[in-house]
Amino acid sequence: MKEIDYNNLRPTDWLPTSVKEMKARGWDSVDVVLFSGDAYIDHPSFGAAVIGRVLEAAGFKVAIVPQPNWQDDLRDFRKFGQPRLFFGVSAGAMDSMVNHYTANRRRRSDDAYTPDARHGMRPDYPTIVYTEILRKLYPDAPIIAGGIEASLRRVSHYDYWQDRLRPSILLDSKADMLLYGMGEHNIVELARRLDGGEAIRDIKDLPQSVILLPAAEMPAESSATDIVLNSWETVSRDPKAQSSNFKHVEQQSNALDGGATLWQGYGDRAVKVNPMLPAMTTGEIDAAFDLPFTRLPHPRYKGKRIPAYEMIRHSVNLHRGCFGGCAFCTISAHQGKFIASRSPESIMNEARQVTRMPDFKGYISDLGGPSANMYGMHGKNLAICAKCRKPSCLHPVVCPNLDTDHSRLLDIYHKVDALPGVKKSFIGSGVRYDLSMHPTGDKRIDAVNRRYNEELIASHVSGRLKVAPEHTEDTVLNVMRKPTFTLFEQFKEIFDRVNARHGLRQQMIPYFISSHPGCREVDMAELAVKTKNLDFKLEQVQDFTPTPMTVATEIYYSGFHPYTGEKIFTAIRPEEKLAQRKYFFWYDRAYRLDIERSLMRMHRPDLVKKLIGNSKPQYHPKTRK
């Protein structure tokens, strides 16, 4: 890893964002131009920077155009001209519609990935908007779509913000190819093949890519190596057919060996989804993280604050992937469920870089990952994992083949805390307490995992520990693929006990979701009672937001579970969602009358008593007008 002297950084230490910066490197042109809906932050947590640095390390000349203006004379799209190899397009680190709109489809007033959180710096669906502009300006240039927005829209999908089914984003955009998932390997292979003289139309077998082909090239039926999904014409008229497609998409995304090729017909054309690459090895993920990132926003943003960067500037990401398989989460669809863990050496090198940052005050804000405590974990027998297509290693029970030993993670914590200049390291990512509490039957591992919980609570909480039970009722939790709430109650007992033992006054902040598929109003009332009994006044709450490529979204859209075909209730109308959300705020007098009225309508006076107490009823059913 390159040593960074933060006091002597030059503009050429970042990838060029202007022709002037390109010329300063001695270049007259570039091989690849990357367009991103985010500001350019040269940090391994931001996709455009990672892809740019990986291509640079492979010997290619790369420029980045962050947040191009799509509403003027398009000078941002013209400034580098046509690159020698291809244009790369990403909406940014979030799906643009999640970035722009709340669960109620209201426009947000800020954008965490933009200087000073200014909104309006990217369009809705930048993947589509940017590729359309580039295609008009450069009809013959290869255009490659990537990033979260494209990745999760690689086949037909329900779009919550337009409330309709949409085809693969390849049909709506002007891109030649879509690279889904984590793109370090396939982007370099693509660049090398184009550099070697292959035409983009002839590259049909690139792993983790999606392309459009004539329908005649699609197999007539499924086989061991090819899965033919229900066609666009079929899913457009039958939501249940769309739901059944998802099971195949999720299973192949979670295959250890990359899975089968997926096909979906669109009239006289077909979308081909080439299999995922296996999870990166430790050496491969180290190579990506050890690239010469400045870890700073580009100098063009001097004096401006970028909230997304502020959150992670003093953090270190330990791994990728998540085997939790939560029904509402897209992590495994993009990163896969198998964990790619960095070596302790790579982690320590980055931690040392953080300590040398001019604004570092001694506190590492997060030693984490998609789920904080999955570092170094994998199946004990990978031959079993190779045959497995289960979306979760934790639900409905923790897989007996899963190695849940937290000792590797504790070693990382200890080594980072021992670094000169580090006063304390915190865990800001969400912790899977069902993983750390799981009894394995191995006395050594169980003792280590108990120690992990103790050390986590005693030494690595920045005043507040974030955990995500998401709900309290088993019927809802089963749809969510989350553990029983009893485990959360047991973890809270551990949390309180450790705090008392160490004389700490820390808080636990649980996250909850309302209106998730499978959740009825009475379930939210029960949630309110149980969290009240635990002395919680909830802060981190949200309505379920359907996002592409999740089990929960497919249920929301179709009404059926993709795996069982079971019909599942979902609150869809705004009034149904508001009726559920109000129970988060049972303690607010403004909601009391409405809650009491609703509970009496549901014939649950017992819950009125538990939530509101023995105070004089404000609502009298017999006198209701």
Side-chain angles (χ1 to χ4, degrees), residues 29-41:
S29 62
V30 293
D31 300 321
V32 178
V33 181
L34 302 176
F35 285 82
S36 173
D38 292 341
Y40 170 33
I41 300 167

Side-chain angles (χ1 to χ4, degrees), residues 440-623:
T440 66
D442 183 313
K443 291 183 179 180
R444 183 194 66 82
I445 293 177
D446 289 348
V448 165
N449 293 355
R450 285 194 297 272
R451 190 168 80 248
Y452 173 82
N453 287 330
E454 174 101 16
E455 290 193 23
L456 168 73
I457 296 165
S459 304
H460 299 284
V461 176
S462 181
R464 311 174 107 196
L465 177 65
K466 296 186 294 186
V467 292
E470 308 295 7
H471 214 284
T472 61
E473 303 310 289
D474 284 344
T475 53
V476 184
L477 290 167
N478 280 329
V479 179
M480 290 180 161
R481 296 177 180 161
K482 295 289 286 186
T484 177
F485 190 66
T486 302
L487 273 182
F488 171 79
E489 294 174 314
Q490 292 170 0
F491 185 71
K492 185 178 183 300
E493 290 176 4
I494 295 171
F495 183 83
D496 292 341
R497 188 164 61 246
V498 173
N499 272 295
R501 186 182 305 138
H502 292 269
L504 301 171
R505 302 186 65 183
Q506 300 175 138
Q507 288 182 290
M508 181 184 287
I509 306 298
Y511 285 59
F512 290 96
I513 298 176
S514 61
S515 303
H516 190 278
C519 181
R520 298 178 181 273
E521 187 177 342
V522 69
D523 295 314
M524 292 303 299
E526 296 282 7
L527 181 152
V529 169
K530 289 180 181 177
T531 54
K532 176 188 178 183
N533 290 341
L534 292 172
D535 294 325
F536 283 118
K537 289 187 177 179
L538 303 180
E539 300 175 24
Q540 297 296 333
V541 298
Q542 65 181 63
D543 292 336
F544 168 66
T545 303
T547 54
M549 206 163 285
T550 69
V551 177
T553 296
E554 298 299 336
I555 297 172
Y556 178 95
Y557 169 67
S558 71
F560 297 92
H561 198 290
Y563 284 76
T564 65
E566 175 190 1
K567 191 170 181 60
I568 294 179
F569 169 80
T570 304
I572 292 177
R573 292 181 290 115
E575 56 268 31
E576 290 177 317
K577 294 183 177 185
L578 287 172
Q580 292 200 16
R581 184 177 175 80
K582 68 191 177 192
Y583 290 97
F584 284 141
F585 311 108
W586 58 267
Y587 52 84
D588 188 331
R589 287 186 173 275
Y591 291 94
R592 278 195 172 186
L593 180 59
D594 193 23
I595 287 174
E596 183 182 343
R597 182 181 292 128
S598 295
L599 290 175
M600 295 301 290
R601 173 177 48 80
M602 291 188 286
H603 308 291
R604 294 301 302 269
D606 58 314
L607 295 180
V608 175
K609 184 176 181 180
K610 290 175 181 177
L611 271 183
I612 299 173
N614 293 316
S615 59
K616 185 178 180 181
Q618 299 180 53
Y619 171 64
H620 305 280
K622 293 182 180 180
T623 60

Side-chain angles (χ1 to χ4, degrees), residues 63-113:
I64 291 183
V65 182
Q67 299 189 315
N69 190 331
W70 74 101
Q71 297 174 303
D72 62 1
D73 61 2
L74 306 182
R75 66 187 67 183
D76 284 340
F77 292 87
R78 302 175 191 270
K79 62 184 176 183
F80 288 109
Q82 181 168 327
R84 187 172 67 86
L85 297 179
F86 64 86
F87 289 107
V89 172
S90 169
M94 290 179 65
D95 185 284
S96 65
M97 305 307 282
V98 178
N99 180 285
H100 282 171
Y101 299 94
T102 68
N104 293 323
R105 297 189 179 99
R106 292 177 182 164
R107 187 83 178 188
R108 298 186 193 275
S109 60
D110 57 3
D111 183 339
Y113 294 85

Side-chain angles (χ1 to χ4, degrees), residues 96-281:
S96 65
M97 305 307 282
V98 178
N99 180 285
H100 282 171
Y101 299 94
T102 68
N104 293 323
R105 297 189 179 99
R106 292 177 182 164
R107 187 83 178 188
R108 298 186 193 275
S109 60
D110 57 3
D111 183 339
Y113 294 85
T114 298
D116 293 333
R118 182 181 174 187
H119 69 91
M121 294 298 288
R122 79 183 88 207
D124 289 353
Y125 309 107
T127 307
I128 296 172
V129 174
Y130 295 169
T131 57
E132 286 181 337
I133 291 171
L134 289 169
R135 181 58 70 217
K136 288 179 182 177
L137 294 176
Y138 308 100
D140 301 322
I143 303 173
I144 313 301
I148 289 283
E149 181 168 274
S151 182
L152 301 183
R153 296 169 182 268
R154 54 190 183 257
V155 293
S156 61
H157 56 278
Y158 172 67
D159 188 292
Y160 171 70
W161 299 273
Q162 294 188 344
D163 193 23
R164 68 182 178 96
L165 199 68
R166 293 189 67 145
S168 163
I169 200 168
L170 267 185
L171 275 294
D172 283 336
S173 74
K174 303 300 181 183
D176 295 286
M177 180 182 287
L178 185 160
L179 300 184
Y180 68 95
M182 310 307 284
E184 289 97 332
H185 284 344
N186 51 6
I187 197 75
V188 171
E189 182 179 343
L190 175 64
R192 286 175 175 159
R193 291 176 69 168
L194 292 173
D195 190 36
E198 289 188 64
I200 187 68
R201 65 179 175 275
D202 295 329
I203 301 177
K204 301 179 181 181
D205 59 350
L206 184 68
Q208 230 165 274
S209 70
V210 186
I211 56 174
L212 269 175
L213 294 172
E217 296 190 32
M218 181 173 66
E221 58 185 25
S222 297
S223 66
T225 57
D226 295 274
I227 296 175
V228 180
L229 303 173
N230 292 310
S231 69
W232 170 248
E233 292 74 20
T234 300
V235 300
S236 295
R237 63 175 180 267
D238 183 2
K240 198 170 184 179
Q242 166 66 21
S243 174
S244 67
N245 273 357
F246 178 80
K247 177 179 178 180
H248 296 297
V249 176
E250 183 176 50
Q251 286 181 333
Q252 301 313 309
S253 296
N254 288 334
L256 180 65
D257 59 1
T261 299
L262 299 176
W263 299 82
Q264 187 175 32
Y266 290 83
D268 61 355
R269 293 184 291 178
V271 165
K272 180 187 182 187
V273 183
N274 285 304
M276 278 188 92
L277 288 158
M280 288 175 131
T281 65

